Amino acid sequence: MNTQSNGGSGMLEEGAPAEQPLGSRAPHFIKRSRPLHLSWQVGVFVVGLAVVVAGVIMLPLPGPGWLVIFGGMAIWATEFVWAQLVLRWTKRKVTEAAQKALDPKVRRRNITLTTVGLVIIAALLAVYVWKFGLALPWNVSE
């Protein structure tokens, strides 16, 4: 039961935070006029699309591509229900992954794998330095 409507703190009875209702978050005066609301939606879509495209361009180039893509999705989510649902799903999956990563067994496994990987890299680096010295690969001549 949502306790926010009767003056509550916006928390569900189980202690989980209440999610915002789906739908447009446009100001009331914009939602009253159909042409103005449609123009608002087109503007939000174009701005969100520009941000998402910038994020996609940043994926192979330097920059926080995924962060920018999710920022564009957040812009779309201010107006479109489908984007709100995608963001809720993504948030749920990220929370699940974070909880799983905090599991002691998973943490031990990750630390062990990282340590083994670093030992292998150190061994390969030691073999390279033993065989070629500190010369860079493009300066090695036999």
Side-chain angles (χ1 to χ4, degrees), residues 76-117:
W76 279 339
T78 63
E79 200 57 37
F80 303 107
V81 172
W82 61 267
Q84 293 167 3
L85 294 173
V86 168
L87 282 180
R88 283 184 183 180
W89 179 84
T90 304
K91 183 178 178 182
R92 191 170 48 250
K93 291 298 179 184
V94 167
T95 303
E96 289 172 9
Q99 290 300 322
K100 188 175 180 182
L102 292 175
D103 179 26
K105 288 182 182 178
V106 175
R107 288 185 71 201
R108 275 193 300 275
R109 184 201 66 202
N110 290 344
I111 290 171
T112 303
L113 289 174
T114 302
T115 304
V116 168

Coordinates of all heavy atoms in Angstrom, one line a residue, residues 76-117:
W76 N 14.3 10.8 -21.5 CA 13.1 10.2 -22.1 C 12.1 9.8 -21.0 O 10.9 9.9 -21.2 CB 13.5 9.0 -23.0 CG 13.9 9.4 -24.4 CD1 13.7 10.5 -25.0 CD2 14.7 8.5 -25.2 NE1 14.3 10.5 -26.3 CE2 14.9 9.3 -26.4 CE3 15.2 7.3 -25.1 CZ2 15.7 8.8 -27.5 CZ3 16.0 6.7 -26.2 CH2 16.2 7.5 -27.4
A77 N 12.6 9.3 -19.9 CA 11.8 8.8 -18.9 C 10.9 9.9 -18.2 O 10.0 9.6 -17.5 CB 12.6 8.0 -17.8
T78 N 11.3 11.1 -18.4 CA 10.5 12.2 -17.8 C 9.2 12.3 -18.6 O 8.2 12.9 -18.1 CB 11.2 13.6 -17.9 OG1 11.4 13.9 -19.3 CG2 12.5 13.5 -17.1
E79 N 9.1 11.7 -19.8 CA 7.9 11.8 -20.6 C 7.3 10.5 -21.1 O 6.1 10.5 -21.3 CB 8.2 12.7 -21.8 CG 7.0 13.4 -22.4 CD 6.2 14.2 -21.5 OE1 6.7 14.9 -20.6 OE2 5.0 14.2 -21.6
F80 N 8.1 9.5 -21.2 CA 7.6 8.3 -21.9 C 7.6 7.1 -20.9 O 8.6 6.8 -20.3 CB 8.4 8.0 -23.1 CG 8.5 9.1 -24.1 CD1 9.6 9.9 -24.3 CD2 7.3 9.4 -24.9 CE1 9.6 10.9 -25.2 CE2 7.4 10.4 -25.8 CZ 8.5 11.2 -25.9
V81 N 6.5 6.4 -20.9 CA 6.3 5.2 -20.0 C 7.3 4.1 -20.3 O 7.9 3.5 -19.4 CB 4.9 4.7 -20.0 CG1 4.7 3.4 -19.2 CG2 3.9 5.8 -19.5
W82 N 7.5 3.8 -21.6 CA 8.5 2.8 -22.0 C 9.9 3.0 -21.4 O 10.5 2.1 -21.0 CB 8.5 2.6 -23.5 CG 8.9 3.7 -24.3 CD1 8.1 4.7 -24.8 CD2 10.3 4.1 -24.6 NE1 8.9 5.6 -25.5 CE2 10.2 5.3 -25.4 CE3 11.5 3.5 -24.4 CZ2 11.4 5.9 -25.8 CZ3 12.6 4.1 -24.8 CH2 12.6 5.3 -25.6
A83 N 10.3 4.3 -21.5 CA 11.6 4.6 -20.9 C 11.7 4.5 -19.4 O 12.7 4.0 -18.8 CB 12.1 6.0 -21.4
Q84 N 10.6 4.8 -18.8 CA 10.5 4.6 -17.3 C 10.6 3.2 -16.9 O 11.3 2.8 -16.0 CB 9.2 5.2 -16.8 CG 9.1 6.7 -16.9 CD 7.7 7.3 -16.7 OE1 6.8 6.6 -16.4 NE2 7.6 8.6 -16.8
L85 N 9.9 2.3 -17.7 CA 10.0 0.9 -17.4 C 11.4 0.3 -17.7 O 11.9 -0.5 -16.9 CB 9.0 0.1 -18.3 CG 7.5 0.4 -18.0 CD1 6.6 -0.2 -19.0 CD2 7.2 0.0 -16.5
V86 N 12.1 0.8 -18.7 CA 13.4 0.3 -19.0 C 14.4 0.8 -17.9 O 15.2 0.0 -17.4 CB 13.9 0.9 -20.4 CG1 15.4 0.7 -20.5 CG2 13.2 0.2 -21.5
L87 N 14.2 2.0 -17.4 CA 15.1 2.5 -16.3 C 14.8 1.7 -15.0 O 15.7 1.4 -14.3 CB 14.9 4.0 -16.1 CG 15.6 4.8 -17.1 CD1 15.4 6.3 -16.8 CD2 17.1 4.6 -17.1
R88 N 13.5 1.4 -14.7 CA 13.2 0.6 -13.5 C 13.9 -0.8 -13.6 O 14.4 -1.3 -12.6 CB 11.7 0.5 -13.4 CG 11.1 1.7 -12.8 CD 9.6 1.5 -12.5 NE 9.0 2.7 -12.1 CZ 7.7 2.8 -11.8 NH1 6.9 1.8 -11.9 NH2 7.2 4.0 -11.4
W89 N 13.8 -1.4 -14.8 CA 14.3 -2.7 -15.0 C 15.9 -2.7 -14.8 O 16.5 -3.5 -14.1 CB 14.0 -3.3 -16.4 CG 14.6 -4.6 -16.7 CD1 14.1 -5.8 -16.3 CD2 15.8 -4.9 -17.4 NE1 14.9 -6.8 -16.8 CE2 16.0 -6.2 -17.4 CE3 16.7 -4.0 -18.0 CZ2 17.0 -6.8 -18.0 CZ3 17.8 -4.6 -18.6 CH2 18.0 -6.0 -18.6
T90 N 16.5 -1.6 -15.4 CA 17.9 -1.5 -15.3 C 18.4 -1.3 -13.9 O 19.3 -1.9 -13.4 CB 18.4 -0.3 -16.2 OG1 18.0 -0.5 -17.5 CG2 19.9 -0.2 -16.2
K91 N 17.6 -0.4 -13.2 CA 18.0 -0.1 -11.8 C 17.9 -1.4 -10.9 O 18.7 -1.7 -10.1 CB 17.0 0.9 -11.2 CG 17.4 1.3 -9.8 CD 16.4 2.4 -9.3 CE 16.7 2.8 -7.9 NZ 15.9 3.8 -7.3
R92 N 16.8 -2.2 -11.2 CA 16.6 -3.5 -10.5 C 17.8 -4.4 -10.7 O 18.3 -5.0 -9.8 CB 15.3 -4.1 -10.9 CG 14.8 -5.2 -10.0 CD 13.4 -5.6 -10.2 NE 13.1 -5.8 -11.7 CZ 12.2 -5.0 -12.3 NH1 11.7 -4.0 -11.8 NH2 12.0 -5.3 -13.6
K93 N 18.2 -4.5 -12.0 CA 19.3 -5.4 -12.4 C 20.6 -5.0 -11.8 O 21.4 -5.8 -11.3 CB 19.4 -5.6 -13.9 CG 18.3 -6.3 -14.5 CD 18.2 -7.7 -14.0 CE 17.0 -8.5 -14.6 NZ 16.9 -9.8 -14.0
V94 N 20.9 -3.7 -11.8 CA 22.1 -3.2 -11.2 C 22.1 -3.4 -9.7 O 23.2 -3.8 -9.1 CB 22.3 -1.7 -11.5 CG1 23.4 -1.0 -10.7 CG2 22.6 -1.5 -13.0
T95 N 21.0 -3.2 -9.0 CA 20.9 -3.5 -7.6 C 21.2 -4.9 -7.3 O 21.9 -5.3 -6.3 CB 19.5 -3.0 -7.0 OG1 19.3 -1.6 -7.3 CG2 19.4 -3.2 -5.5
E96 N 20.6 -5.8 -8.1 CA 20.8 -7.3 -7.9 C 22.3 -7.6 -8.1 O 22.8 -8.4 -7.3 CB 19.9 -8.1 -8.9 CG 18.5 -8.1 -8.6 CD 17.6 -8.7 -9.7 OE1 18.2 -9.3 -10.6 OE2 16.4 -8.6 -9.6
A97 N 22.9 -7.0 -9.1 CA 24.3 -7.3 -9.3 C 25.2 -6.8 -8.2 O 26.1 -7.5 -7.8 CB 24.8 -6.7 -10.7
A98 N 24.8 -5.6 -7.7 CA 25.6 -5.1 -6.6 C 25.5 -6.0 -5.3 O 26.4 -6.2 -4.6 CB 25.1 -3.7 -6.2
Q99 N 24.2 -6.4 -5.1 CA 24.0 -7.3 -3.9 C 24.8 -8.6 -4.1 O 25.4 -9.2 -3.2 CB 22.5 -7.6 -3.7 CG 21.8 -6.4 -3.2 CD 22.3 -5.9 -1.9 OE1 22.6 -6.7 -1.0 NE2 22.3 -4.6 -1.7
K100 N 24.8 -9.1 -5.3 CA 25.5 -10.4 -5.6 C 27.0 -10.2 -5.4 O 27.7 -11.1 -4.9 CB 25.2 -10.9 -7.0 CG 25.7 -12.2 -7.3 CD 25.3 -12.6 -8.7 CE 25.8 -14.0 -9.0 NZ 25.4 -14.5 -10.4
A101 N 27.5 -9.0 -5.8 CA 28.9 -8.8 -5.7 C 29.4 -8.6 -4.3 O 30.5 -8.9 -3.9 CB 29.3 -7.5 -6.5
L102 N 28.4 -8.2 -3.4 CA 28.8 -8.1 -2.0 C 28.7 -9.4 -1.2 O 29.1 -9.5 -0.1 CB 27.8 -7.1 -1.3 CG 28.0 -5.7 -1.8 CD1 26.9 -4.8 -1.1 CD2 29.3 -5.1 -1.4
D103 N 28.2 -10.5 -1.9 CA 28.2 -11.8 -1.3 C 29.6 -12.3 -1.0 O 30.5 -12.2 -1.8 CB 27.5 -12.8 -2.2 CG 27.5 -14.2 -1.7 OD1 27.5 -14.4 -0.5 OD2 27.4 -15.2 -2.5
P104 N 29.9 -12.7 0.3 CA 31.3 -13.1 0.6 C 31.9 -14.1 -0.3 O 33.1 -14.0 -0.6 CB 31.2 -13.6 2.1 CG 30.0 -13.0 2.6 CD 29.0 -12.8 1.4
K105 N 31.2 -15.1 -0.7 CA 31.7 -16.2 -1.6 C 32.1 -15.6 -3.0 O 33.2 -15.9 -3.5 CB 30.7 -17.3 -1.9 CG 30.4 -18.2 -0.7 CD 29.4 -19.2 -1.1 CE 29.1 -20.1 0.1 NZ 28.1 -21.2 -0.3
V106 N 31.3 -14.7 -3.5 CA 31.6 -14.1 -4.8 C 32.8 -13.1 -4.6 O 33.6 -13.1 -5.5 CB 30.3 -13.3 -5.3 CG1 30.6 -12.5 -6.6 CG2 29.2 -14.3 -5.5
R107 N 32.8 -12.4 -3.5 CA 34.0 -11.5 -3.3 C 35.3 -12.3 -3.2 O 36.3 -11.9 -3.8 CB 33.8 -10.7 -2.1 CG 32.7 -9.6 -2.3 CD 32.6 -8.7 -1.1 NE 33.8 -7.9 -1.0 CZ 34.3 -7.3 0.1 NH1 33.6 -7.4 1.2 NH2 35.3 -6.5 0.0
R108 N 35.3 -13.4 -2.5 CA 36.5 -14.2 -2.4 C 36.9 -14.8 -3.8 O 38.1 -14.8 -4.1 CB 36.3 -15.4 -1.4 CG 36.5 -15.0 0.0 CD 36.6 -16.3 0.9 NE 35.4 -17.1 0.9 CZ 34.3 -16.8 1.7 NH1 34.3 -15.8 2.5 NH2 33.3 -17.6 1.6
R109 N 35.9 -15.2 -4.5 CA 36.2 -15.7 -5.9 C 36.8 -14.6 -6.8 O 37.8 -14.9 -7.4 CB 34.9 -16.3 -6.5 CG 35.2 -16.9 -7.9 CD 34.0 -17.0 -8.7 NE 33.5 -15.7 -9.1 CZ 32.3 -15.3 -9.4 NH1 31.4 -16.3 -9.5 NH2 32.0 -14.1 -9.7
N110 N 36.2 -13.5 -6.7 CA 36.7 -12.3 -7.5 C 38.1 -11.9 -7.1 O 39.0 -11.7 -8.0 CB 35.8 -11.2 -7.5 CG 34.4 -11.4 -8.2 OD1 34.3 -12.4 -9.0 ND2 33.5 -10.6 -7.9
I111 N 38.4 -11.9 -5.8 CA 39.7 -11.5 -5.3 C 40.7 -12.6 -5.7 O 41.8 -12.3 -6.2 CB 39.7 -11.3 -3.8 CG1 38.9 -10.1 -3.5 CG2 41.1 -11.3 -3.2 CD1 38.7 -9.9 -2.0
T112 N 40.3 -13.9 -5.6 CA 41.2 -15.0 -6.1 C 41.5 -14.9 -7.5 O 42.7 -15.0 -8.0 CB 40.6 -16.3 -5.7 OG1 40.3 -16.4 -4.3 CG2 41.5 -17.5 -6.1
L113 N 40.5 -14.7 -8.4 CA 40.7 -14.6 -9.8 C 41.6 -13.4 -10.2 O 42.4 -13.5 -11.1 CB 39.4 -14.5 -10.5 CG 38.5 -15.8 -10.6 CD1 37.2 -15.6 -11.2 CD2 39.3 -16.9 -11.3
T114 N 41.4 -12.3 -9.5 CA 42.2 -11.1 -9.8 C 43.6 -11.4 -9.4 O 44.5 -11.0 -10.1 CB 41.6 -9.9 -9.0 OG1 40.3 -9.7 -9.4 CG2 42.4 -8.7 -9.2
T115 N 43.8 -12.0 -8.2 CA 45.2 -12.3 -7.8 C 45.9 -13.3 -8.8 O 47.0 -13.0 -9.2 CB 45.2 -12.9 -6.4 OG1 44.5 -12.0 -5.5 CG2 46.6 -13.2 -5.9
V116 N 45.2 -14.3 -9.2 CA 45.8 -15.2 -10.2 C 46.1 -14.5 -11.5 O 47.2 -14.7 -12.1 CB 44.8 -16.4 -10.4 CG1 45.2 -17.3 -11.6 CG2 44.7 -17.3 -9.2
G117 N 45.2 -13.7 -11.9 CA 45.5 -12.9 -13.2 C 46.7 -12.0 -13.0 O 47.5 -11.9 -13.9

